[in-house]
Amino acid sequence: MDVMGDKATLFETGRFVQPSGEEATPDESRDETADAVETVETDETVETEETAETGVTVETGEAVEEMRLRLAAAAGDAEATSVLGAMLLRRGDLDGAEPHLRAATAAGDRAAANNLGVLLHQRGYADEAAGWWRVAAVAGSAAAAHALGRHCRECGDEPAAEYWLRQSAEQGHALGAYALADLLEHRADSGAERWMRAAAERGHREAAYRLARALDRRNPQYFDGDAGDARDARDARDAGEDGDAGKGGAAGAAGAVVQAEAEQWYRQAAARGHRRAALHLGAILERKGELKEAGRWYLTAAKEGEARAACALGFLLRDAGDTENAAIWWLRAAQDGDGNAANALGALHAERGQTQTAERWYRAAMDAGDDNGAYNLALLCAEQGRTAQAEQWYRRAAYAGHREAANALAVLLLRGGDTAGSEPWFSKAAEAGSVDAAFNLGILFAGRGEDTVALRWYERAAAAGHTEAALQVGIARLREGDEQEAERHLRCAAGGGSAEAAYRLAAVLDARRPPQPAHELGEIAHEKTECEEWYERAAQQGHRRAQVRVGMLAAARGDVCEAARWYREAAEAGSRNGAFNLGLLLAREGSEPEAVVWWTRAADDGHGRAALRLALVYARRGELAEGQRWADRAVSLGPGEVARRAARLRDALRQELSA
């Protein structure tokens, strides 16, 4: 039995790089967080005039409005003065805005006090700005309370920050609710989600995104790290275990509800231009099989500069058969530093035989911090017979924690005769979750005769779905006499496609069957049993002993044609028992010359009964010397009963020849 894990194809990782944290990129939420303290507030909506009939432009309307406000301000209108100051502040005219805002503030206008704080903050006078924000916040300005709360938090005064942010949030200010949620989340306060939800419901896109992430984390059945590979996540979920089916069903339904809500918030944030939300939304839709819409969101995020979305879009196009456009998006993502995209490009070029280009992209993946680049480079070297270089790259990836690289390194060392050096790497890979490594450890310990330790590793691999490991556990349990446990593991292995497991399972079930009454050939007597179905499954996979057994069961049912078909298939594959039984069937049907051909093949392969049959045939034909030769052969081949009968026949033939 060979060790597992020496991959023949290039390794492909998940579709997205897994960053260590969830920090927003600098430009992702700037308009909603970093600049939120600079919100200009007015107590009324300033209307501009733009009508098609008159042809007045927005700029002209603003100029007219500004002139009107200046005249009103000059006449002592405090409200107009405040609005004029806000207009100039928005325009960036700080020198022009400041006297108007101070004048309006002195007249008691709270919006002007808030905006004066914004202006001073922009000039770098944070403490003076905080003073005016306090004035406006006390007067009931939600925007000022938000700005003051953020200022307090920046100064390290979290109690004051919470007080003012709560004042802002409770007045319905979206930025205040988001800032309060962020503060509470930093403290791990359970109330954070309430305010994050409030901000999201008021249209705050970053809040919607973070709320969706929180819902994802609460639901590990669906959580994919940071938009991890949709396909891998789906496989992981399908492989999950649940001891109680009813409980699992309820939990699954609840998880689906949570995931649906997360999707809703991702969708809201993505629709408002949040590129990472678009990435996650695309991953969710891909898992659901809605590939067309998933592609649209990946494209939206990719166009906004999200490298992981460009990489995911490339995989989606590749799966659709459009490798050329896939390569374009992978190239774009790789140039933006996405190691997974660089790996994908490397694999693409390797498949085309462009090994130098493939190696260049694998190295680019390593430079981007993706350990799969080293692993793929090792695979490339191994395929080219560059064993020393392969070992070097396997080691690099293995030391970085790549479990399959550790397993592959161990396989390489084991094949080189370094058993002692391979074991620690197998252990490291197995402890990290490599199923192949666990199975390989079982093989290693079994080879040393440490069957108990080997069985423990086989069981670990079998529990993770490893077919060959399940077969080995089943065989071990059969040796121990634990037929029930053996059957369970053999069923797992047989269901996974193991022909040997299907044959052994059939043998276990066959041994339990009550004796069947004998029937004449040509008479169909009974239906196929479960054990025969398993024999047939193994036979169809080329298992020669199973083919012989299926032939025997068919003969017992009286199905001569079916029996002959399976005996012939086994015989042509090299089964001496198949050849012998086919000979018996042919002789019974009157085709002795052809039977002799198959018995000769079986006898030449060491089948004693076939040699005895040949001795009898040649004796009946009068070819005594040939009969004696085959009788001698049967005596040497056995088994005991055959050897005794063959010896008697040989002695009789000798007497005839000497007479």
Side-chain angles (χ1 to χ4, degrees), residues 284-328:
I284 289 172
L285 292 168
E286 185 180 356
R287 286 198 299 267
K288 292 166 64 176
E290 300 174 20
L291 303 184
K292 189 173 182 180
E293 188 178 0
R296 286 201 301 268
W297 286 112
Y298 284 149
L299 180 61
T300 298
K303 286 181 176 179
E304 291 297 320
E306 180 58 61
R308 291 169 293 167
C311 180
L313 181 59
F315 278 108
L316 213 57
L317 290 167
R318 189 276 313 267
D319 292 346
D322 189 355
T323 55
E324 295 306 317
N325 279 313
I328 291 171

Side-chain angles (χ1 to χ4, degrees), residues 135-210:
V135 169
V138 169
S141 170
H146 163 248
L148 182 58
R150 286 181 57 86
H151 173 76
C152 291
R153 186 176 181 186
E154 289 168 2
C155 293
D157 188 354
E158 289 199 1
E162 181 180 352
Y163 173 81
W164 289 113
L165 291 175
R166 194 175 293 276
Q167 292 293 318
S168 176
E170 289 175 349
Q171 292 180 64
H173 196 276
L175 295 178
Y178 174 74
L180 177 60
D182 185 66
L183 177 63
L184 295 176
E185 189 176 88
H186 175 69
R187 298 179 184 172
D189 190 310
S190 59
E193 183 176 327
R194 172 198 167 195
W195 291 110
M196 195 69 76
R197 187 180 297 274
E201 289 171 349
R202 290 163 188 154
H204 195 291
R205 69 175 189 179
E206 184 69 18
Y209 172 74
R210 289 179 62 174

Side-chain angles (χ1 to χ4, degrees), residues 79-417:
E79 184 177 344
T81 304
S82 176
V83 174
L84 177 60
M87 178 184 290
L88 295 171
L89 180 57
R90 286 196 192 95
R91 192 181 297 167
D93 184 0
L94 304 188
D95 292 335
E98 184 170 355
H100 294 293
L101 292 176
R102 287 191 180 275
T105 299
D109 189 287
R110 74 174 190 187
N114 172 66
N115 293 337
L116 180 58
V118 172
L119 186 148
L120 292 169
H121 188 271
Q122 290 182 12
R123 288 189 183 277
Y125 303 124
D127 292 336
E128 187 179 353
W132 290 112
W133 280 331
R134 186 180 300 275
V135 169
V138 169
S141 170
H146 163 248
L148 182 58
R150 286 181 57 86
H151 173 76
C152 291
R153 186 176 181 186
E154 289 168 2
C155 293
D157 188 354
E158 289 199 1
E162 181 180 352
Y163 173 81
W164 289 113
L165 291 175
R166 194 175 293 276
Q167 292 293 318
S168 176
E170 289 175 349
Q171 292 180 64
H173 196 276
L175 295 178
Y178 174 74
L180 177 60
D182 185 66
L183 177 63
L184 295 176
E185 189 176 88
H186 175 69
R187 298 179 184 172
D189 190 310
S190 59
E193 183 176 327
R194 172 198 167 195
W195 291 110
M196 195 69 76
R197 187 180 297 274
E201 289 171 349
R202 290 163 188 154
H204 195 291
R205 69 175 189 179
E206 184 69 18
Y209 172 74
R210 289 179 62 174
L211 178 59
R213 298 301 290 157
L215 290 168
D216 266 346
R217 292 188 191 92
R218 187 190 303 167
N219 192 19
Q221 182 185 7
Y222 292 90
F223 183 52
D224 59 355
D226 192 39
D229 179 30
R231 181 172 299 157
D232 290 347
R234 181 172 59 247
D235 293 343
R237 290 197 304 276
D238 292 342
E241 296 182 0
D242 196 310
D244 180 39
K247 181 178 178 181
V257 171
V258 173
Q259 181 62 16
E261 185 182 2
E263 180 183 342
Q264 168 197 339
W265 291 116
Y266 280 135
R267 192 177 292 277
Q268 177 174 309
R272 299 176 70 88
H274 197 294
R275 69 190 191 199
R276 285 180 297 136
L279 168 67
H280 286 273
L281 178 58
I284 289 172
L285 292 168
E286 185 180 356
R287 286 198 299 267
K288 292 166 64 176
E290 300 174 20
L291 303 184
K292 189 173 182 180
E293 188 178 0
R296 286 201 301 268
W297 286 112
Y298 284 149
L299 180 61
T300 298
K303 286 181 176 179
E304 291 297 320
E306 180 58 61
R308 291 169 293 167
C311 180
L313 181 59
F315 278 108
L316 213 57
L317 290 167
R318 189 276 313 267
D319 292 346
D322 189 355
T323 55
E324 295 306 317
N325 279 313
I328 291 171
W329 286 105
W330 282 334
L331 177 61
R332 182 168 175 174
Q335 289 173 339
D336 287 340
D338 189 282
N340 193 39
N343 270 319
L345 282 172
L348 183 64
H349 287 289
E351 289 170 2
R352 295 173 176 176
Q354 300 165 346
T355 55
Q356 289 185 339
T357 306
E359 183 171 337
R360 178 168 63 84
W361 282 114
Y362 288 148
R363 289 180 182 274
M366 286 190 294
D367 292 341
D370 191 332
D371 300 327
N372 289 310
Y375 178 59
N376 287 340
L377 191 54
L379 290 173
L380 192 64
C381 291
E383 286 183 348
Q384 296 172 343
R386 297 155 56 193
T387 306
Q389 291 92 333
E391 180 179 343
Q392 169 194 347
W393 294 116
Y394 280 141
R395 283 189 185 277
R396 175 166 175 171
Y399 276 120
H402 196 295
R403 66 189 187 191
E404 294 307 326
N407 177 62
L409 174 60
V411 170
L412 197 66
L413 293 172
L414 186 61
R415 288 178 175 169

Side-chain angles (χ1 to χ4, degrees), residues 44-79:
E44 64 177 27
T45 302
V46 179
E47 298 181 357
T48 60
E49 299 179 2
E50 180 183 4
T51 60
E53 293 81 357
T54 61
V56 179
T57 62
V58 174
E59 290 80 3
T60 303
E62 287 182 353
V64 171
E65 178 64 14
E66 182 179 346
M67 181 60 68
R68 184 185 69 79
L69 291 172
R70 286 187 181 277
L71 292 173
D77 188 332
E79 184 177 344

Side-chain angles (χ1 to χ4, degrees), residues 375-508:
Y375 178 59
N376 287 340
L377 191 54
L379 290 173
L380 192 64
C381 291
E383 286 183 348
Q384 296 172 343
R386 297 155 56 193
T387 306
Q389 291 92 333
E391 180 179 343
Q392 169 194 347
W393 294 116
Y394 280 141
R395 283 189 185 277
R396 175 166 175 171
Y399 276 120
H402 196 295
R403 66 189 187 191
E404 294 307 326
N407 177 62
L409 174 60
V411 170
L412 197 66
L413 293 172
L414 186 61
R415 288 178 175 169
D418 188 0
T419 306
S422 68
E423 183 180 341
W425 286 111
F426 276 138
S427 297
K428 184 175 181 178
E431 293 297 343
S434 171
V435 181
D436 283 349
F439 177 68
N440 290 340
L441 276 174
I443 295 174
L444 198 65
F445 285 108
R448 297 176 183 173
E450 301 179 43
D451 293 338
T452 302
V453 181
L455 181 58
R456 187 169 70 247
W457 285 109
Y458 283 145
E459 287 178 328
R460 183 165 177 172
H466 196 288
T467 298
E468 290 301 315
L471 170 62
Q472 294 304 316
V473 174
I475 293 172
R477 295 305 182 202
L478 280 176
R479 284 199 300 265
E480 296 170 358
D482 188 350
E483 189 175 293
Q484 184 176 1
E485 192 67 12
E487 180 183 342
R488 183 174 73 84
H489 282 93
L490 289 174
R491 283 187 183 277
C492 291
S498 170
E500 180 67 23
Y503 173 75
R504 288 179 180 268
L505 174 60
V508 169

